Amino acid sequence: MTELDKDLPLRADLARLDRLLGEVLHAQEGPQVYQEVKAIAARTPEQRALPLPDTLSPKATTALVRACGLYAQLFNIAEDLHHTRRRRAHQIAGSRPQQGSLNRALARLKEDGVSFAQLSDTLQDAYVGAILTAHPTEVQRQSVLDGHRAVHKFLSQLGSPDITPEEETELDGKLKRVILSLWQTSEIRHFKLSVEDEIKNGVAYHPMTFFSALPRLYDRLGKEVTAAWGQSPVLPPFIRVGSWIGGDRDGNPNVNATVLRHAFTLQATQAFEHYLSELASLYRELSLSERHVSVSPALQALSDQTPDNKESREQEPYRRALATIEARLLGKAAELGLAVRGRWPVAEAYRDTAAFQADLATVADSLIAHGSDLLADGRLARLRRAVEVFGFFLMPVDLRQFAGMHEAVVSELFSSAGLEHYPALDEAARIRVLLRELATPRLLYSPYQQYSADTEKELAIFREAARIQQQFGTEAISQSIISNCASVSDILALALILKETGLIRLENGLPVSTINVVPLFETIADLVAATDIMDTLFALPWYQLLLKSRGMLQEVMLGYSDSNKDGGYLTSQWELYKAEQRLVQSFDKAGVKLRLFHGRGGSVGRGGGPSFEAIMSQPAGSVAGRIRITEQGEVIASKYSDPDIGTRNLEALVAATLEASLTTHPSCEADGPVFDELSEAAFKAYRQLVETEGFMQYFLEATPINAIAKLNIGSRPASRKSLASIKDLRAIPWVFSWSQSRVMLPGWFGFGSAVAGFIARHGDEGLARLQGLYRTSPFFQVILSNMEQVLAKADLGIARRFAALVSDRALADKLFGQIEAEWQKTHDAFFAISGQTSLLEQNPTLHRSLETRLPYLDALNLLQADLLQRLRANPDDAEALYAIHLTINGTSAGLRNSG
């Protein structure tokens, strides 16, 4: 079967969507807008960067923008469905397992001679975490996402092989109604998102995907390990979804103790509602009569306690037992103050999830002991796994705050207690006084002193975290992250705050912590210093004692976004790699287990790209069965809105973690000097650009950054303070803005100069060395593969139109000239190293995808530039601002990983 044949169902879906949206546009907006949209679709690649006709009215322009955006959204849905369709076709055909699948990962382990004992040991100590964050690049409203899911559902049903003509007509009508509804729904929020909104959005992915995906993934992993090794593994709950939403205060003044409590109330409510729903379904299914089955004494005891005393249930012990379990679960919900309804009177509350699990195990054991294994292996097994994974709190929430705020709190505590003037102390003195206070049970905080609002707020959120741990268990909040961590004292300052609020306590004079203290190293300088900081920390006897209370596990978070903003694409990637190598050696020497937390965004400029390849390219020893990765912005919706796609993405994380941990793969150590040389040159080229006088003016005027700041896509501001340099700007809007203007600068700038200089110094031998690295180094392969995707999505013709918006023409010509020259060098370098003659030569799927949507994306970008010019001429033009926001929305949807 040819690629064309394989894509026939997709082409049919695209044609159907094109027809239905065209009918809606013609009916709703008239023939002019409809014809303009058709003309855009017909533009050749050579025509796409040319200006669009300026004959449209402002209202028609807005309609055209909306149409292009909706086309891109609908095509995304069709492609996602097609990917699922192709995976199922491979499975049905018995094709070789695909990369990123459990089948292939386990087969690779088996081929490499990994024993069952080795695999089992790794699994017992494993942790694979996908952490949802509320970073503001998710521009889609939930109402729009609901519509997208309906389109997916009806398209999927239309693809059924036994659909009748009548059913097809009916589904076609349903699909058109959804498209009409989407057309008449506002894509843009007229209000600012609150943190509470973001919490609700994050929780919504559980009934949508995680409740079904995670238990099934555990089940598949267990069965596939058993099939390959002939032994059944014990799988701890090592695959987890976590969250920052409600606990991340870094730059977000809206997060406080009340918000953190709200997050857990909402999360717990969702968990309990799921469990009660599953118990109700089991109640309907397990109608077994004692006339036909026997039960265990433990099951009979549960049955005897039942609130379900109807005569019709007298001979149905499993239903009576399940009613008992439901009533006790309702008791726990009431104890936690959750507004959850049930069918039975509230009974004695479960003490914890272990007690709940014990009752579910009683049901399962009784079924198995009396010949009903099949009934224990379906819904009941999935529910038991769900309780193990989600607990009573649904997902753990991390706390995060930047080091400067922790320092301010400690400074005020010292001052109010009449101790040293903390800000005036050097690093050695800070460590000394912090260790002194950490070694004593005496608290610095006094209820009789007055403290600033910021200090009270910070202390309150940690106290609330301690109460949440007491209610839900310590796993509910087990991470406290220090952004911009740059010293040992930054880590100890947080430890002192944790001690002040009961999360670290002294038992028999020894420190015991219920939470991990996690440094986040973000800038290039911090990445370089990370190992020295950790070495100094591990040398402190007090910290060694603290680590013992945490099982000698230390998590370190690495920031991809800020390191890229600081040093550019290649330097950021290489410094992250080297930092991981050094940390592995440092932790091995100290006898401490390392868990890395990768702060990746959606775009390549923020560490994005396929997760499987990213994990497989990590340095040897840096994964070791333990990894956490952030899932941010619009990437959350694209990965986890659909259960099939969500399962596939979680599966890829697990597969990559197992492969990276247990198989051998090439190291970059021998090639370090080459990458050092490339990195140094790339860094120099990047810093030369961003330090050019007038660069910030160029960035502010040649991108839609100011319009993005006014778009209601998150609860956080775009910067911590006024913008004087890129240092003041958050990494997310920095990358987002370059994506919108189609420069994609954070994903490639500096690479071309680095390679050109390397070849100039080393000649043909140098080029051959780079070509060899491309064939053998997973690290270099990922660097070039991700960069290739960025180059394919970028368009310097469109970028030139944005550069024309800069008021200082000489500045615009100078800086765009630098960007254009580097762009050409980067293209030349990529083709010279890869041997390809065109972009995406080895990735026909992405090439097809871009070719489908680029006509609409290019039009959106050109319209955005025109609208920005119009808005700057008349800052009060509300229609222009609204239309700009629509272009941002549409471009983000079309690019899929823009932030």
mmCIF file of all heavy atoms in Angstrom, residues 7 10 76-90 98 644-645 648 845-846 848-849 853 896:
data_model
loop_
_atom_site.group_PDB
_atom_site.id
_atom_site.type_symbol
_atom_site.label_atom_id
_atom_site.label_comp_id
_atom_site.label_asym_id
_atom_site.label_seq_id
_atom_site.Cartn_x
_atom_site.Cartn_y
_atom_site.Cartn_z
ATOM 1 N N ASP A 7 -3.398 7.296 3.086
ATOM 2 C CA ASP A 7 -3.975 8.584 3.476
ATOM 3 C C ASP A 7 -5.358 8.836 2.886
ATOM 4 O O ASP A 7 -5.940 9.894 3.099
ATOM 5 C CB ASP A 7 -3.043 9.731 3.050
ATOM 6 C CG ASP A 7 -1.796 9.804 3.913
ATOM 7 O OD1 ASP A 7 -1.804 9.184 4.989
ATOM 8 O OD2 ASP A 7 -0.828 10.473 3.514
ATOM 9 N N LEU A 10 -7.974 9.861 5.373
ATOM 10 C CA LEU A 10 -7.728 11.229 5.844
ATOM 11 C C LEU A 10 -8.178 12.242 4.797
ATOM 12 O O LEU A 10 -8.825 13.245 5.128
ATOM 13 C CB LEU A 10 -6.238 11.421 6.141
ATOM 14 C CG LEU A 10 -5.809 12.863 6.456
ATOM 15 C CD1 LEU A 10 -6.506 13.391 7.701
ATOM 16 C CD2 LEU A 10 -4.288 12.947 6.620
ATOM 17 N N ASN A 76 -6.603 19.585 12.255
ATOM 18 C CA ASN A 76 -5.899 18.930 13.366
ATOM 19 C C ASN A 76 -6.670 17.695 13.835
ATOM 20 O O ASN A 76 -6.094 16.630 14.080
ATOM 21 C CB ASN A 76 -5.758 19.881 14.559
ATOM 22 C CG ASN A 76 -4.708 20.947 14.344
ATOM 23 O OD1 ASN A 76 -3.887 20.864 13.438
ATOM 24 N ND2 ASN A 76 -4.734 21.956 15.190
ATOM 25 N N ILE A 77 -7.970 17.869 13.994
ATOM 26 C CA ILE A 77 -8.813 16.778 14.483
ATOM 27 C C ILE A 77 -8.774 15.593 13.517
ATOM 28 O O ILE A 77 -8.641 14.436 13.931
ATOM 29 C CB ILE A 77 -10.259 17.265 14.675
ATOM 30 C CG1 ILE A 77 -10.315 18.380 15.728
ATOM 31 C CG2 ILE A 77 -11.174 16.110 15.078
ATOM 32 C CD1 ILE A 77 -11.621 19.152 15.739
ATOM 33 N N ALA A 78 -8.888 15.899 12.231
ATOM 34 C CA ALA A 78 -8.866 14.830 11.226
ATOM 35 C C ALA A 78 -7.527 14.093 11.250
ATOM 36 O O ALA A 78 -7.476 12.857 11.123
ATOM 37 C CB ALA A 78 -9.122 15.415 9.840
ATOM 38 N N GLU A 79 -6.435 14.824 11.420
ATOM 39 C CA GLU A 79 -5.116 14.181 11.446
ATOM 40 C C GLU A 79 -4.947 13.310 12.689
ATOM 41 O O GLU A 79 -4.390 12.215 12.617
ATOM 42 C CB GLU A 79 -4.022 15.249 11.388
ATOM 43 C CG GLU A 79 -3.882 15.872 10.009
ATOM 44 C CD GLU A 79 -2.756 16.875 9.945
ATOM 45 O OE1 GLU A 79 -2.266 17.294 11.015
ATOM 46 O OE2 GLU A 79 -2.364 17.243 8.832
ATOM 47 N N ASP A 80 -5.405 13.813 13.837
ATOM 48 C CA ASP A 80 -5.314 13.011 15.059
ATOM 49 C C ASP A 80 -6.090 11.701 14.907
ATOM 50 O O ASP A 80 -5.622 10.627 15.309
ATOM 51 C CB ASP A 80 -5.862 13.799 16.252
ATOM 52 C CG ASP A 80 -4.927 14.915 16.695
ATOM 53 O OD1 ASP A 80 -3.746 14.889 16.302
ATOM 54 O OD2 ASP A 80 -5.389 15.806 17.433
ATOM 55 N N LEU A 81 -7.275 11.811 14.338
ATOM 56 C CA LEU A 81 -8.083 10.607 14.115
ATOM 57 C C LEU A 81 -7.375 9.647 13.171
ATOM 58 O O LEU A 81 -7.382 8.426 13.379
ATOM 59 C CB LEU A 81 -9.451 11.007 13.549
ATOM 60 C CG LEU A 81 -10.412 9.872 13.211
ATOM 61 C CD1 LEU A 81 -10.758 9.057 14.450
ATOM 62 C CD2 LEU A 81 -11.684 10.424 12.576
ATOM 63 N N HIS A 82 -6.732 10.201 12.154
ATOM 64 C CA HIS A 82 -6.043 9.353 11.184
ATOM 65 C C HIS A 82 -4.853 8.635 11.828
ATOM 66 O O HIS A 82 -4.582 7.470 11.523
ATOM 67 C CB HIS A 82 -5.569 10.194 9.998
ATOM 68 C CG HIS A 82 -5.011 9.382 8.869
ATOM 69 N ND1 HIS A 82 -5.754 8.441 8.205
ATOM 70 C CD2 HIS A 82 -3.771 9.362 8.294
ATOM 71 C CE1 HIS A 82 -5.017 7.865 7.254
ATOM 72 N NE2 HIS A 82 -3.809 8.411 7.307
ATOM 73 N N HIS A 83 -4.129 9.337 12.718
ATOM 74 C CA HIS A 83 -3.007 8.691 13.398
ATOM 75 C C HIS A 83 -3.493 7.497 14.214
ATOM 76 O O HIS A 83 -2.858 6.437 14.216
ATOM 77 C CB HIS A 83 -2.307 9.701 14.317
ATOM 78 C CG HIS A 83 -1.597 10.778 13.584
ATOM 79 N ND1 HIS A 83 -1.274 11.989 14.143
ATOM 80 C CD2 HIS A 83 -1.143 10.850 12.299
ATOM 81 C CE1 HIS A 83 -0.661 12.734 13.259
ATOM 82 N NE2 HIS A 83 -0.584 12.077 12.133
ATOM 83 N N THR A 84 -4.613 7.681 14.907
ATOM 84 C CA THR A 84 -5.195 6.567 15.672
ATOM 85 C C THR A 84 -5.608 5.443 14.731
ATOM 86 O O THR A 84 -5.373 4.259 15.012
ATOM 87 C CB THR A 84 -6.406 7.057 16.477
ATOM 88 O OG1 THR A 84 -5.996 8.082 17.376
ATOM 89 C CG2 THR A 84 -7.048 5.927 17.260
ATOM 90 N N ARG A 85 -6.200 5.806 13.621
ATOM 91 C CA ARG A 85 -6.650 4.809 12.624
ATOM 92 C C ARG A 85 -5.459 3.990 12.103
ATOM 93 O O ARG A 85 -5.537 2.763 11.982
ATOM 94 C CB ARG A 85 -7.335 5.559 11.483
ATOM 95 C CG ARG A 85 -7.993 4.704 10.429
ATOM 96 C CD ARG A 85 -8.452 5.584 9.283
ATOM 97 N NE ARG A 85 -9.565 6.431 9.625
ATOM 98 C CZ ARG A 85 -9.663 7.745 9.351
ATOM 99 N NH1 ARG A 85 -8.666 8.359 8.724
ATOM 100 N NH2 ARG A 85 -10.719 8.426 9.676
ATOM 101 N N ARG A 86 -4.345 4.685 11.804
ATOM 102 C CA ARG A 86 -3.173 3.993 11.277
ATOM 103 C C ARG A 86 -2.542 3.063 12.327
ATOM 104 O O ARG A 86 -2.080 1.973 12.014
ATOM 105 C CB ARG A 86 -2.113 5.007 10.787
ATOM 106 C CG ARG A 86 -2.517 5.784 9.559
ATOM 107 C CD ARG A 86 -2.861 4.897 8.386
ATOM 108 N NE ARG A 86 -1.821 3.913 8.123
ATOM 109 C CZ ARG A 86 -2.040 2.720 7.582
ATOM 110 N NH1 ARG A 86 -3.279 2.353 7.255
ATOM 111 N NH2 ARG A 86 -1.041 1.889 7.355
ATOM 112 N N ARG A 87 -2.520 3.513 13.585
ATOM 113 C CA ARG A 87 -1.967 2.656 14.638
ATOM 114 C C ARG A 87 -2.801 1.388 14.790
ATOM 115 O O ARG A 87 -2.259 0.284 14.949
ATOM 116 C CB ARG A 87 -1.913 3.420 15.966
ATOM 117 C CG ARG A 87 -0.706 4.330 16.111
ATOM 118 C CD ARG A 87 -0.518 4.773 17.550
ATOM 119 N NE ARG A 87 -1.589 5.614 18.016
ATOM 120 C CZ ARG A 87 -1.650 6.922 17.855
ATOM 121 N NH1 ARG A 87 -0.666 7.542 17.214
ATOM 122 N NH2 ARG A 87 -2.656 7.633 18.325
ATOM 123 N N ARG A 88 -4.122 1.536 14.733
ATOM 124 C CA ARG A 88 -4.994 0.367 14.847
ATOM 125 C C ARG A 88 -4.799 -0.566 13.645
ATOM 126 O O ARG A 88 -4.812 -1.793 13.791
ATOM 127 C CB ARG A 88 -6.448 0.812 14.949
ATOM 128 C CG ARG A 88 -6.762 1.527 16.256
ATOM 129 C CD ARG A 88 -8.206 2.000 16.289
ATOM 130 N NE ARG A 88 -9.136 0.896 16.290
ATOM 131 C CZ ARG A 88 -9.521 0.235 17.377
ATOM 132 N NH1 ARG A 88 -9.034 0.585 18.553
ATOM 133 N NH2 ARG A 88 -10.376 -0.750 17.301
ATOM 134 N N ALA A 89 -4.589 0.022 12.472
ATOM 135 C CA ALA A 89 -4.365 -0.798 11.274
ATOM 136 C C ALA A 89 -3.083 -1.611 11.424
ATOM 137 O O ALA A 89 -3.026 -2.790 11.041
ATOM 138 C CB ALA A 89 -4.290 0.095 10.040
ATOM 139 N N HIS A 90 -2.042 -0.997 11.982
ATOM 140 C CA HIS A 90 -0.788 -1.725 12.204
ATOM 141 C C HIS A 90 -0.995 -2.869 13.203
ATOM 142 O O HIS A 90 -0.462 -3.968 13.015
ATOM 143 C CB HIS A 90 0.283 -0.763 12.734
ATOM 144 C CG HIS A 90 0.910 0.087 11.682
ATOM 145 N ND1 HIS A 90 1.678 -0.439 10.669
ATOM 146 C CD2 HIS A 90 0.896 1.434 11.480
ATOM 147 C CE1 HIS A 90 2.107 0.538 9.882
ATOM 148 N NE2 HIS A 90 1.642 1.687 10.351
ATOM 149 N N GLN A 98 5.727 -0.422 16.885
ATOM 150 C CA GLN A 98 6.255 0.894 16.539
ATOM 151 C C GLN A 98 7.122 1.455 17.658
ATOM 152 O O GLN A 98 6.964 1.117 18.828
ATOM 153 C CB GLN A 98 5.099 1.861 16.245
ATOM 154 C CG GLN A 98 4.288 1.493 15.021
ATOM 155 C CD GLN A 98 3.145 2.480 14.800
ATOM 156 O OE1 GLN A 98 2.338 2.718 15.667
ATOM 157 N NE2 GLN A 98 3.093 3.059 13.610
ATOM 158 N N ASP A 644 -7.346 7.700 23.251
ATOM 159 C CA ASP A 644 -6.386 6.902 22.486
ATOM 160 C C ASP A 644 -5.042 7.606 22.370
ATOM 161 O O ASP A 644 -3.981 7.006 22.573
ATOM 162 C CB ASP A 644 -6.936 6.597 21.090
ATOM 163 C CG ASP A 644 -8.070 5.598 21.112
ATOM 164 O OD1 ASP A 644 -8.103 4.770 22.050
ATOM 165 O OD2 ASP A 644 -8.920 5.642 20.213
ATOM 166 N N ILE A 645 -5.092 8.901 22.025
ATOM 167 C CA ILE A 645 -3.851 9.661 21.882
ATOM 168 C C ILE A 645 -3.186 9.839 23.240
ATOM 169 O O ILE A 645 -1.959 9.754 23.373
ATOM 170 C CB ILE A 645 -4.129 11.024 21.212
ATOM 171 C CG1 ILE A 645 -4.629 10.801 19.782
ATOM 172 C CG2 ILE A 645 -2.891 11.903 21.203
ATOM 173 C CD1 ILE A 645 -5.130 12.054 19.103
ATOM 174 N N ARG A 648 -1.410 6.689 24.155
ATOM 175 C CA ARG A 648 -0.203 6.560 23.343
ATOM 176 C C ARG A 648 0.925 7.444 23.890
ATOM 177 O O ARG A 648 2.082 7.015 23.957
ATOM 178 C CB ARG A 648 -0.529 6.937 21.894
ATOM 179 C CG ARG A 648 0.653 7.083 20.973
ATOM 180 C CD ARG A 648 1.366 5.778 20.740
ATOM 181 N NE ARG A 648 2.438 5.924 19.758
ATOM 182 C CZ ARG A 648 3.410 5.040 19.576
ATOM 183 N NH1 ARG A 648 3.445 3.954 20.301
ATOM 184 N NH2 ARG A 648 4.340 5.243 18.671
ATOM 185 N N THR A 845 4.804 12.368 7.093
ATOM 186 C CA THR A 845 3.555 12.647 7.808
ATOM 187 C C THR A 845 3.471 14.116 8.181
ATOM 188 O O THR A 845 2.449 14.774 7.954
ATOM 189 C CB THR A 845 3.455 11.771 9.074
ATOM 190 O OG1 THR A 845 3.485 10.402 8.689
ATOM 191 C CG2 THR A 845 2.167 12.058 9.821
ATOM 192 N N LEU A 846 4.544 14.652 8.790
ATOM 193 C CA LEU A 846 4.540 16.068 9.158
ATOM 194 C C LEU A 846 4.550 16.951 7.913
ATOM 195 O O LEU A 846 3.894 18.001 7.886
ATOM 196 C CB LEU A 846 5.755 16.396 10.043
ATOM 197 C CG LEU A 846 5.851 17.853 10.507
ATOM 198 C CD1 LEU A 846 4.603 18.273 11.264
ATOM 199 C CD2 LEU A 846 7.092 18.057 11.386
ATOM 200 N N ARG A 848 3.147 16.316 5.018
ATOM 201 C CA ARG A 848 1.775 16.354 4.515
ATOM 202 C C ARG A 848 0.896 17.248 5.390
ATOM 203 O O ARG A 848 0.079 18.033 4.905
ATOM 204 C CB ARG A 848 1.210 14.939 4.490
ATOM 205 C CG ARG A 848 -0.239 14.841 4.005
ATOM 206 C CD ARG A 848 -0.949 13.670 4.665
ATOM 207 N NE ARG A 848 -1.068 13.862 6.093
ATOM 208 C CZ ARG A 848 -0.962 12.887 6.988
ATOM 209 N NH1 ARG A 848 -0.727 11.661 6.616
ATOM 210 N NH2 ARG A 848 -1.100 13.153 8.273
ATOM 211 N N SER A 849 1.097 17.129 6.685
ATOM 212 C CA SER A 849 0.303 17.918 7.618
ATOM 213 C C SER A 849 0.508 19.414 7.397
ATOM 214 O O SER A 849 -0.456 20.189 7.349
ATOM 215 C CB SER A 849 0.679 17.544 9.055
ATOM 216 O OG SER A 849 0.047 18.392 9.977
ATOM 217 N N ARG A 853 -2.165 22.604 5.953
ATOM 218 C CA ARG A 853 -2.597 23.754 6.756
ATOM 219 C C ARG A 853 -1.862 25.048 6.438
ATOM 220 O O ARG A 853 -2.314 26.117 6.838
ATOM 221 C CB ARG A 853 -2.462 23.418 8.232
ATOM 222 C CG ARG A 853 -1.064 23.362 8.742
ATOM 223 C CD ARG A 853 -0.960 22.785 10.133
ATOM 224 N NE ARG A 853 -1.349 21.399 10.169
ATOM 225 C CZ ARG A 853 -2.109 20.853 11.109
ATOM 226 N NH1 ARG A 853 -2.538 21.572 12.100
ATOM 227 N NH2 ARG A 853 -2.422 19.582 11.077
ATOM 228 N N ARG A 896 0.409 24.014 16.542
ATOM 229 C CA ARG A 896 0.218 22.949 17.524
ATOM 230 C C ARG A 896 1.198 22.988 18.689
ATOM 231 O O ARG A 896 0.876 22.562 19.781
ATOM 232 C CB ARG A 896 0.266 21.553 16.890
ATOM 233 C CG ARG A 896 -0.666 21.367 15.722
ATOM 234 C CD ARG A 896 -1.118 19.942 15.583
ATOM 235 N NE ARG A 896 -2.215 19.617 16.494
ATOM 236 C CZ ARG A 896 -2.884 18.476 16.490
ATOM 237 N NH1 ARG A 896 -2.568 17.539 15.620
ATOM 238 N NH2 ARG A 896 -3.850 18.244 17.340
#
